Amino acid sequence: MALAVMGAAAVPAVAAPLPGGLGPCLPGDCPDAYPPVNNGPIAGRDDNINVFVGNDFRVRGRAAEAEGKVVTLGDFDMEKAAGGSSLYNVGVAGVGSRVPPSAGTDWLTTGGAVRIASGQTLDAEAGVVRHAGPATGTIRGRNVQDANAARPYAALRDELAAASRCYAYIAEGQARPVTGSARNTVAETLFTGDGTSRLQVFNVDFDLVGRDGGQQGVRFVNIPDGATVLVNLTGGARVINTFSGTIADNSDLNRLRERLLWNFPEATTVELKGTGQFQGSILAGNREGETTVTLPGINGRFLTTGSLTHTSAATGGGGQEIHAYPFNGDLPDCAPPRGNVTVIKKDSPSGNALAGARFQLWRETNGAAGLQTTGDGRDTPVGGVCTTDARGECRGSVEPGTYYWQETQPPAGYPVPRTTVFGPLTLTAANASQGVSVTVTNTKAADPTGTIHLVKQNAKTKRPLQGAVFELWRETNGVAGLQVTGTPADRRVGTGCATDRQGHCTFANQPLGTYYLRETAVPEGYLMPRNPVSGPYALTAANATAGVTATLKNTPGEPGKGPKK
């Protein structure tokens, strides 16, 4: 007798479906409720995958059909035993849920070849058989060779393998806490739930077989209505040999079907055999695993990352079928934790937040130290370019890993900093809730300035004049010309300047703009100009380096007497 005992630890919250959108019915035309196994009229249409095989799908013995959409990333190889039916159906089953895929859609997709033995027929009726490799033998239905046939489904293999592992283990070597017990009494394996949890978890490290490996019953008790049931069958090889499950949906096991998942996370071989109509979906997570099905009926999604052989028992019998039923349970959320990787941009030295800087987030993926942004072996950009907001922040919500922020454009008025790559920033499961960040600064470029040079000369001799006094005014009121009084007046800049022996006055380090010179005193023996204001003089980015030179002249003479002759 084998026994798996209830653990004390609490089970994490549940909210997630199977990865890749697998599980529920995908319209098509989903029925409100799936009927029991029957041979009546079509009850609806389901365009989701019912059978997924990560390697090869082999049909052997006297197996009959796989209802629903079938995807295998490897080959589909059909070589049934002589003496039985030479037909194998995909998509529509003569007896099943009677919810096939929509007519005209892909009913069988392969990443490899389709091989049908001589004298046998693969029947896809109103569906498409889409295959990347060659197809040989007799195929009913539209036959399409497409080198990219399985590409849309390629990622599912790794996603399912990771999910299978996660459902069974919360960390490496640490089994997922259980909510109940599983006990093999030889006559049956009895699963006893806790009566309350919305996710009922059972971990089983033994085969579900009777005496000498024979058949036994499978029974669940104390399972709340609407709860999801997750059975993790751990170990390198597992066998289920059962008579449980019925065609008429009149057993307790049938009632759990759409929320029951049998998970084999590491088994290299899985055998599903007996005489029952087995209920619930199946997930086999070992990519190198081999699953052999000889049960008369599998009722639920069948998902393996390894290979599948659908066949009949060596002792005889035939007509083995996989029937299309959805999985609608809520499983542990196995998506990697996500956290924010943030860059904060600030002005130096004020520490004020800077909006308008542009950054690209990169993930370390090439194994080389530091960030590589070019070439075939570059690291991986994450999302598009981000512009810092009013708080000076750019953030990316990402999975654990190592990241860099690259500044691609500084804020307006700031030069490109010497360092434009910031990191590495390492986000882990432990720090994902807090996130990781880096604060970087920009020093604003000094506003460009220029110089207004004044040269004062004798109007007749052109010799320099010392002692002329000038004021510099900046155009600030928007009115043409210089206004030195009134409201508003233009703005006087600094104190006055008297020309030196060379007749020079220099007004240095002036911001770009428009200026006027106003003469307030002349050298002795010279006359004040009729208009003492000259200008405007425009300092621009184009002339700021050289500056602007104003050459002004005074005429010799005495006030009240006029110019000298």
Side-chain angles (χ1 to χ4, degrees):
M1 180 176 70
L3 179 66
V5 183
M6 181 184 297
V11 176
V14 296
L18 286 162
L22 300 175
C25 178
L26 179 67
D29 179 19
C30 298
D32 293 334
Y34 272 68
V37 173
N38 71 98
N39 62 353
I42 296 297
R45 298 282 181 176
D46 175 12
D47 290 336
N48 212 341
I49 297 171
N50 192 58
V51 178
F52 176 86
V53 180
N55 285 332
D56 297 330
F57 188 157
R58 294 180 287 268
V59 177
R60 298 290 187 265
R62 298 184 178 185
E65 51 199 8
E67 190 177 34
K69 181 180 178 70
V70 178
V71 173
T72 177
L73 300 185
D75 296 338
F76 181 90
D77 186 271
M78 176 178 164
E79 188 174 0
K80 297 179 65 172
S85 170
S86 62
L87 188 69
Y88 189 85
N89 297 315
V90 292
V92 169
V95 176
S97 69
R98 302 294 286 159
V99 185
S102 298
T105 63
D106 294 351
W107 288 13
L108 171 63
T109 301
T110 76
V114 177
R115 292 187 293 269
I116 311 302
S118 177
Q120 299 181 11
T121 300
L122 171 66
D123 191 355
E125 283 194 15
V128 176
V129 175
R130 188 176 300 274
H131 46 94
T136 56
T138 302
I139 299 172
R140 291 179 188 164
R142 187 176 169 215
N143 183 351
V144 176
Q145 185 165 10
D146 176 357
N148 297 317
R151 180 172 293 180
Y153 313 106
L156 287 176
R157 188 180 190 221
D158 287 344
E159 291 173 4
L160 287 169
S164 178
R165 192 78 185 168
C166 169
Y167 297 157
Y169 302 99
I170 59 174
E172 194 62 35
Q174 185 177 355
R176 182 166 294 279
V178 298
T179 60
S181 63
R183 184 181 183 191
N184 189 333
T185 66
V186 179
E188 67 176 7
T189 293
L190 176 64
F191 296 90
T192 304
D194 67 2
T196 58
S197 298
R198 302 307 299 165
L199 174 62
Q200 297 284 314
V201 179
F202 302 92
N203 294 338
V204 177
D205 60 359
F206 52 83
D207 293 334
L208 275 61
V209 297
R211 193 179 309 279
D212 299 325
Q215 293 192 71
Q216 65 165 206
V218 175
R219 187 159 62 98
F220 290 85
V221 297
N222 212 25
I223 305 297
D225 290 343
T228 298
V229 178
L230 171 62
V231 181
N232 294 311
L233 296 102
T234 59
R238 281 289 159 256
V239 179
I240 297 178
N241 191 358
T242 185
F243 49 75
S244 291
T246 62
I247 288 179
D249 277 359
N250 56 3
S251 78
D252 290 338
L253 184 61
N254 286 55
R255 283 189 280 273
L256 294 176
R257 176 175 57 221
E258 293 181 17
R259 302 185 71 84
L260 171 59
L261 180 68
W262 303 88
N263 179 39
F264 301 84
E266 64 251 335
T268 55
T269 61
V270 176
E271 289 185 70
L272 303 176
K273 60 185 182 178
T275 58
Q277 283 289 327
F278 196 64
Q279 303 295 314
S281 293
I282 293 165
L283 173 59
N286 188 333
R287 298 173 185 83
E288 305 305 318
E290 296 277 347
T291 301
T292 302
V293 176
T294 58
L295 278 160
I298 295 286
N299 298 276
R301 304 303 195 199
F302 190 97
L303 312 169
T304 176
T305 63
S307 293
L308 167 64
T309 299
H310 196 198
T311 185
S312 52
T315 54
Q320 284 72 17
E321 302 171 353
I322 299 173
H323 299 143
Y325 286 96
F327 176 78
N328 296 319
D330 294 318
L331 293 164
D333 188 351
C334 289
R338 299 180 72 87
N340 286 334
V341 176
T342 305
V343 60
I344 305 168
K345 191 69 165 175
K346 292 187 176 182
D347 172 77
S348 175
S350 72
N352 294 332
L354 286 180
R358 305 188 76 189
F359 285 88
Q360 174 66 56
L361 182 62
W362 293 80
R363 182 168 186 172
E364 173 62 62
T365 55
N366 66 358
L371 174 63
Q372 290 78 45
T373 63
T374 59
D376 293 338
R378 69 175 186 167
D379 293 307
T380 302
V382 180
V385 172
C386 172
T387 302
T388 55
D389 58 20
R391 296 176 297 181
E393 294 184 4
C394 273
R395 68 191 64 83
S397 177
V398 293
E399 297 176 359
T402 298
Y403 296 88
Y404 300 88
W405 282 107
Q406 178 193 26
E407 187 169 359
T408 61
Q409 182 177 311
Y414 288 80
V416 176
R418 290 184 179 180
T419 300
T420 58
V421 174
F422 308 97
L425 299 171
T426 301
L427 187 73
T428 66
N431 66 21
S433 59
Q434 294 81 26
V436 291
S437 65
V438 59
T439 298
V440 299
T441 60
N442 274 118
T443 301
K444 192 170 186 178
D447 291 332
T449 61
T451 299
I452 295 179
H453 304 278
L454 168 63
V455 179
K456 191 66 168 175
Q457 295 177 344
N458 182 303
K460 291 184 176 181
T461 66
K462 306 295 192 295
R463 290 180 179 177
L465 289 180
Q466 182 179 9
V469 180
F470 285 85
E471 296 172 345
L472 181 67
W473 290 74
R474 184 173 183 180
E475 173 63 62
T476 57
N477 67 357
V479 178
L482 174 62
Q483 290 80 43
V484 299
T485 60
T487 304
D490 291 310
R491 181 164 59 84
R492 181 178 170 180
V493 180
T495 59
C497 173
T499 56
D500 59 17
R501 290 183 178 181
Q502 285 75 40
H504 291 172
C505 264
T506 300
F507 298 91
N509 300 319
Q510 302 303 319
L512 303 187
T514 300
Y515 293 87
Y516 299 91
L517 289 167
R518 180 176 180 237
E519 191 167 1
T520 60
V522 295
E524 186 177 353
Y526 286 84
L527 297 174
M528 179 69 74
R530 289 184 179 181
N531 184 2
V533 176
S534 63
Y537 304 104
L539 274 178
T540 66
N543 65 22
T545 302
V548 174
T549 299
T551 301
L552 302 176
K553 299 174 182 179
N554 281 117
T555 301
E558 296 293 333
K561 296 182 179 180
K564 291 183 179 180
K565 297 184 180 179

